[in-house]
Amino acid sequence: MFSQMFTKYSFKAQITWLSTSLILVTVALLTASFGFKVARYIDNQIENQMYFAENVIRQNLSSQEKVLITAARVLAADFGFKQAVATRDKNTINSVLNNHGKRINADLMVLLDTEGRVITSGSFQSFSDKVLEQNINLLPLKGVHGQVVNIQNKVFQIIVVPVKAPRLIAYSIIGFEFDHQALLELKELASVDVTFVKNKQIISSTFTEPTTVEGLLTSKQARTEKLLFTSVDFFHKQVALGDSFKVSAILSASLVAIHNDFIQLISSILIISILVIVIAVALSKLLHRGVTIPLNLLSNLTKKISAGNLSVPKLKDEMPTEFFELYQGFSVMGTAIEHREQEIKYQAERDLLTGLYNRHTMHRVIADYLEKHIELVLITFNIKGFKVLNDTIGVANGDAILKEIARRTTRYIDSITVTPPLEVIAARVNSDEFMIAIPITQSDEIENYIELLQDELDRQFWLDDIRLNLSLYFGVANSIEHSADGERLMRRATMAAVSAFKEQKVLRFYQQGEDEQYLYKLKLIEELKAALESEQSPMFMNYQPKLNLQTGKVDKLEALIRWVNKDGEFVNPELFVSLAENAGLIVPLTRWVIAQVLKQIAQWQEQGYFFNVSINLSAQDIQHEGFIEYLIEQISRFNVNSEQVTLELTERDLADNEELVAARLTHLKSIGFKVSVDDYGIGQSSLAKLKNLPVDELKIDKCFILTLDQCEQDQDIVASTISLGHKLGLNVVAEGVENLASLDLLRQFNCDYAQGYYLSKPITAEQLVIWYQEYDSPV
């Protein structure tokens, strides 16, 4: 808020405000600091003054008390006086009291009996015996002691001395009056005004003005921490003079002179401050002239640089050293920015290894061409087996090959003539994927461009003295036939190259529908994620029976997952399971299947049905760190016996990280799970591997079973596989049984279990119960 308000003013005004504000703040802080220090000093002085005054008064009282005690003891020890007291000779007593009082200048001479009644009193004061008794009877009659008392608005310092002959016969009281003259003497000694008060009533005072005397009782005592900053004229301190009569003295120190001196000091400081401010304003004007011109020059320079004009002209006029150095700094900065912009632009647009454009720049240029309705052909090519090659010859050599391909690509695009301002561009869009965009007018030109590129790239590569022959595969898409959208055209060219690799072709053109199939798969992956997270999942389990050929009973099932997507379409399990493996979803998918199957086994057990159910696993599942713990946890959760579960893996899955897979399967088998090898006969299993793996069951692939009754070769393979499995101690399952003839052959071969559509297709858990109840073993 403050900064926004300040920016409304000119630089000159800001300098003036700044200098003035700094001076004012400095003066204020110095004045405040000085004021508080002076106040603290004055407080200490007043306290010391009061302490001194109190000591003076107390010492005065103490010295008079000593005089009184000496005089009283002399009187009490006088034999004639004691005799007169004993005989109650008032004339003699009065004579002694008057004579003794005159010698010591006493103002009060009284003799009391032991009960505190007045026997007689001197002629110095005209107090009646009754008044004396009323005031003196308040005194404690004990040994020699002093006290300050008030008698009819007169203050006396008295001494009480017992008269003994030898027993106590009376009390002698001698006192001095604190009259106005005595108070003035105390004021002279203590340097403060003195007022005697009793019960909030003023008895006597050195103040002459009535308003000042009355103000003592109404004003509040100033705190010593704020004496300098108070509006009162006096600082008061009350000193107790006696306990019995509540007579006290108020000591009053004047603050008027202190206040006047402080006001004078502050006035002097303010006058000096005003003079300094006037000088500062004048100097700020001079400073403004020396700063504004260089700042305006620098401001114009920054505007030029911000507008993209990075050239800084040489200075024509002199300026202060600091501004000159700043100007030179702007010059250096402009050059550095220009170089850095070029470098940043290069790094943003180019692949740093090869110097070709990167994918982002390639996409931008292609989109620009297509927006201008310039037709393009995109040629994408990859190095076959580059990762293996890179691991074999090393990263540095792999980079050298990529650079050489970039050089050859650059020579190739330089050899192509196109109409300016059009140009052929090349990019490295992935680790070993390159792309070339060539403007064309018709699709007939494409084949010639491809041949020229292949001729350039098919030449041998050399690493030092090593000759390398690289295999490249090419994918082609053009905007005339395949798409006028830049992103889609790039994707389709890449898809064509991927298809060339899969189909083991050197060259592959994009084919209509491939991109749509790719997008369909991406859509399925997203729907699959949602289905796994949904409580009302559109996925469900089917179960296919396995017939025990020895007993004719169905005691085993295979669990098979099914899915109907959002469009109500049945999705092929092989498709979405493959997508799940590639998208990293196979582990959560398998966990979902395990939970569903175990929950169903538990429900069947409650209904009195006991089946062994096979669950299909992938290599990713069995290798996952938490798979075994999850499986055991779910078995315990649903209270299912581990012997009721068979884990099926294909030959390919068993061969992936074979040592780890074998160790984990061995552990699972040790706690009761069965292990089955699925699709046996079409994978990579060897007899040595089967012998060393913890396998309980072989499943002969359905490709050997579907036409078993028609093909003698299949019959030989199946019969020998069953025999081999039995010799290895394994149960053998034949899947894909489609007719009774095939089933009979399997019985002849002593196969253990049969599975296929002849018995039942995969059905839901509810349908299976009905089917099982109606099932009649095939003859």
Side-chain angles (χ1 to χ4, degrees):
M1 182 73 179
F2 181 76
S3 61
Q4 290 177 353
M5 179 188 71
F6 224 73
T7 54
K8 296 178 181 178
Y9 300 101
S10 65
F11 182 67
K12 176 182 177 181
Q14 292 185 36
I15 290 178
T16 304
W17 274 108
L18 178 62
S19 57
T20 305
S21 301
L22 286 175
I23 291 171
L24 288 175
V25 170
T26 303
V27 169
L29 291 176
L30 289 176
T31 303
S33 175
F34 182 72
F36 280 110
K37 287 184 178 180
V38 170
R40 192 179 302 116
Y41 174 76
I42 290 172
D43 291 343
N44 292 335
Q45 290 296 101
I46 294 295
E47 288 180 0
N48 291 336
Q49 184 180 1
M50 286 297 180
Y51 178 75
F52 171 76
E54 184 179 348
N55 283 342
V56 167
I57 291 174
R58 292 194 183 281
Q59 287 177 8
N60 183 270
L61 292 175
S62 177
S63 63
Q64 288 194 157
E65 185 177 324
K66 289 178 181 178
V67 172
L68 288 172
I69 290 173
T70 302
R73 283 178 174 170
V74 170
L75 177 64
D78 186 88
F79 178 77
F81 178 70
K82 288 194 286 186
Q83 188 176 14
V85 172
T87 61
R88 294 292 192 274
D89 184 354
K90 287 188 176 182
N91 291 329
T92 303
I93 294 171
N94 285 336
S95 176
V96 173
L97 290 176
N98 288 331
N99 291 332
H100 197 72
K102 289 177 180 179
R103 284 199 301 271
I104 62 173
N105 295 320
D107 297 307
L108 185 65
M109 299 293 290
V110 180
L111 184 67
L112 302 178
D113 62 15
T114 56
E115 299 299 326
R117 292 186 293 271
V118 176
I119 298 173
T120 185
S121 61
S123 60
F124 305 107
Q125 297 287 343
S126 59
F127 298 129
S128 66
D129 291 348
K130 185 177 180 180
V131 170
L132 289 172
E133 286 178 1
Q134 286 176 348
N135 288 278
I136 295 176
N137 279 345
L138 297 174
L139 288 169
L141 298 176
K142 54 184 180 179
V144 178
H145 69 280
Q147 187 63 272
V148 177
V149 298
N150 171 38
I151 304 175
Q152 289 190 339
N153 292 329
K154 292 184 178 181
V155 179
F156 293 88
Q157 182 182 11
I158 64 173
I159 293 297
V160 179
V161 178
V163 181
K164 297 180 181 180
R167 63 181 179 81
L168 179 66
I169 58 175
Y171 289 97
S172 173
I173 297 176
I174 302 175
F176 291 123
E177 181 186 357
F178 284 104
D179 56 8
H180 186 70
Q181 183 60 38
L183 286 179
L184 291 176
E185 291 175 358
L186 281 178
K187 176 182 178 181
E188 188 69 24
L189 289 171
S191 299
V192 294
D193 284 291
V194 182
T195 303
F196 285 124
V197 295
K198 179 182 180 182
N199 296 329
K200 297 185 179 180
Q201 290 185 349
I202 296 174
I203 301 171
S204 59
S205 175
T206 59
F207 286 111
T208 57
E209 297 179 7
T211 55
T212 306
V213 176
E214 293 171 1
L216 290 174
L217 300 177
T218 58
S219 64
K220 295 183 179 178
Q221 179 174 312
R223 293 177 58 191
T224 56
E225 292 85 353
K226 298 182 179 179
L227 283 179
L228 189 61
F229 308 115
T230 59
S231 60
V232 297
D233 293 335
F234 290 91
F235 172 73
H236 309 294
K237 182 176 182 181
Q238 191 166 357
V239 179
L241 299 179
D243 298 331
S244 301
F245 294 89
K246 300 182 180 177
V247 178
S248 59
I250 296 178
L251 308 182
S252 304
S254 177
L255 301 176
V256 175
I258 294 173
H259 286 160
N260 291 337
D261 290 344
F262 186 69
I263 291 171
Q264 251 184 359
L265 176 63
I266 294 299
S267 300
S268 301
I269 292 174
L270 289 177
I271 292 171
I272 294 172
S273 300
I274 292 170
L275 290 175
V276 172
I277 289 172
V278 171
I279 295 171
V281 170
L283 291 176
S284 65
K285 290 183 178 180
L286 296 176
L287 178 62
H288 167 257
R289 292 172 186 169
V291 171
T292 303
I293 294 174
L295 282 180
N296 287 335
L297 183 62
L298 292 173
S299 175
N300 294 331
L301 182 60
T302 55
K303 290 177 181 178
K304 287 176 60 180
I305 292 176
S306 63
N309 186 358
L310 300 177
S311 61
V312 179
K314 291 185 178 181
L315 280 174
K316 297 180 180 178
D317 300 320
E318 291 186 0
M319 62 172 59
T321 304
E322 293 81 1
F323 286 103
F324 177 77
E325 292 177 353
L326 183 59
Y327 189 89
Q328 293 299 108
F330 273 106
S331 177
V332 173
M333 182 182 70
T335 304
I337 291 174
E338 187 174 13
H339 292 162
R340 191 165 299 172
E341 280 188 348
Q342 293 174 355
E343 183 178 348
I344 292 172
K345 183 180 180 183
Y346 182 86
Q347 292 177 351
E349 294 181 345
R350 301 279 178 166
D351 171 57
L352 299 183
L353 177 65
T354 62
L356 300 178
Y357 285 126
N358 57 27
R359 183 180 188 87
H360 173 76
T361 308
M362 189 69 166
H363 174 263
R364 178 173 54 80
V365 174
I366 291 173
D368 290 344
Y369 277 9
L370 294 178
E371 283 180 6
K372 297 173 183 177
H373 304 288
I374 298 170
E375 304 296 348
L376 295 173
V377 59
L378 300 189
I379 306 173
T380 300
F381 58 92
N382 295 69
I383 304 172
K384 184 176 182 180
F386 179 73
K387 184 179 184 305
V388 176
L389 178 65
N390 205 37
D391 293 341
T392 304
I393 64 177
V395 175
N397 289 326
D399 289 347
I401 290 175
L402 295 176
K403 291 177 183 179
E404 177 60 25
I405 290 177
R407 282 191 290 270
R408 294 187 185 187
T409 303
T410 303
R411 284 198 299 268
Y412 167 73
I413 62 178
D414 289 341
S415 66
I416 298 176
T417 303
V418 292
T419 304
L422 302 180
E423 60 178 350
V424 181
I425 58 172
R428 180 184 175 215
V429 295
N430 211 329
S431 61
D432 67 324
E433 182 179 353
F434 295 82
M435 182 177 289
I436 300 173
I438 307 173
I440 58 173
T441 55
Q442 54 186 7
S443 56
D444 295 343
E445 306 171 28
I446 297 174
E447 194 169 328
N448 181 52
Y449 287 139
I450 294 173
E451 290 178 0
L452 292 174
L453 177 62
Q454 288 178 328
D455 290 342
E456 182 67 40
L457 296 177
D458 282 346
R459 291 185 291 107
Q460 294 178 342
F461 290 83
W462 291 86
L463 286 176
D464 296 331
D465 295 331
I466 302 174
R467 183 177 61 185
L468 295 176
N469 291 315
L470 299 183
S471 297
L472 304 177
Y473 46 94
F474 297 80
V476 182
N478 67 82
S479 59
I480 298 174
E481 299 173 338
H482 301 136
S483 178
D485 176 76
E487 180 65 32
R488 188 177 295 120
L489 188 62
M490 289 178 67
R491 184 173 65 245
R492 291 181 175 181
T494 299
M495 291 178 63
V498 172
S499 298
F501 171 74
K502 290 180 179 179
E503 298 169 9
Q504 296 297 303
K505 294 181 178 179
V506 173
L507 177 64
R508 172 74 146 69
F509 286 85
Y510 172 77
Q511 295 179 4
Q512 295 295 346
E514 288 182 332
D515 193 24
E516 288 75 11
Q517 184 64 25
Y518 169 76
L519 295 176
Y520 173 71
K521 290 179 180 179
L522 290 181
K523 177 185 174 185
L524 285 182
I525 290 173
E526 292 302 316
E527 288 189 22
L528 183 58
K529 289 180 183 177
L532 289 171
E533 295 171 358
S534 173
E535 293 183 2
Q536 302 295 327
S537 178
M539 297 186 296
F540 58 93
M541 298 305 300
N542 276 355
Y543 299 89
Q544 189 171 30
K546 295 180 184 178
L547 175 65
N548 188 326
L549 296 177
Q550 308 302 320
T551 64
K553 302 293 184 182
V554 172
D555 52 16
K556 288 186 178 182
L557 310 171
E558 181 178 4
L560 300 166
I561 188 170
R562 297 293 184 262
W563 178 28
V564 177
N565 66 10
K566 291 182 179 180
D567 298 329
E569 300 172 347
F570 178 81
V571 185
N572 189 316
E574 290 185 2
L575 173 60
F576 73 77
V577 169
S578 174
L579 291 175
E581 288 182 333
N582 294 329
L585 297 175
I586 192 63
V587 172
L589 180 63
T590 302
R591 290 192 173 194
W592 187 91
V593 169
I594 289 172
Q596 297 300 313
V597 171
L598 295 180
K599 180 180 178 181
Q600 185 59 58
I601 292 175
Q603 290 177 358
W604 279 332
Q605 287 180 163
E606 292 177 359
Q607 298 171 9
Y609 302 105
F610 298 91
F611 300 111
N612 179 287
V613 183
S614 298
I615 299 174
N616 291 285
L617 304 180
S618 72
Q620 294 181 42
D621 293 319
I622 199 67
Q623 294 176 37
H624 191 267
E625 187 65 31
F627 173 74
I628 294 178
E629 290 77 7
Y630 177 79
L631 186 57
I632 295 173
E633 175 189 320
Q634 295 302 308
I635 285 286
S636 175
R637 173 188 173 190
F638 293 106
N639 196 24
V640 173
N641 194 321
S642 59
E643 295 180 354
Q644 293 178 261
V645 179
T646 297
L647 306 175
E648 287 192 11
L649 292 95
T650 65
E651 294 180 89
R652 176 177 57 85
D653 294 328
L654 289 171
D656 190 356
N657 201 345
E658 186 177 335
E659 186 176 344
L660 175 63
V661 170
R664 294 194 171 176
L665 289 178
T666 301
H667 177 63
L668 289 169
K669 185 174 180 179
S670 69
I671 55 180
F673 292 97
K674 305 296 183 184
V675 179
S676 175
V677 178
D678 197 7
D679 299 338
Y680 181 77
I682 62 171
Q684 304 170 358
S685 293
S686 65
L687 296 178
K689 288 183 180 179
L690 284 178
K691 181 181 70 172
N692 296 323
L693 289 171
V695 177
D696 300 288
E697 180 181 273
L698 288 182
K699 285 188 71 175
I700 302 175
D701 189 74
K702 61 185 177 182
C703 68
F704 301 107
I705 307 299
L706 290 174
T707 57
L708 182 64
D709 59 323
Q710 303 171 18
C711 180
E712 292 185 5
Q713 200 171 23
D714 286 342
Q715 293 173 16
D716 293 336
I717 293 172
V718 170
S720 61
T721 301
I722 293 172
S723 175
L724 175 63
H726 287 164
K727 289 180 180 180
L728 292 174
L730 306 177
N731 286 329
V732 180
V733 179
E735 61 177 339
V737 177
E738 299 289 327
N739 52 57
L740 179 60
S742 296
L743 186 63
D744 290 337
L745 285 172
L746 291 172
R747 278 200 182 96
Q748 294 177 21
F749 299 152
N750 291 323
C751 186
D752 298 294
Y753 283 89
Q755 174 184 349
Y757 273 54
Y758 177 71
L759 298 171
S760 173
K761 66 179 182 180
I763 52 179
T764 65
E766 294 77 10
Q767 293 171 335
L768 179 75
V769 171
I770 297 172
W771 177 88
Y772 183 77
Q773 292 172 346
E774 298 174 352
Y775 169 73
D776 185 16
S777 176
V779 180

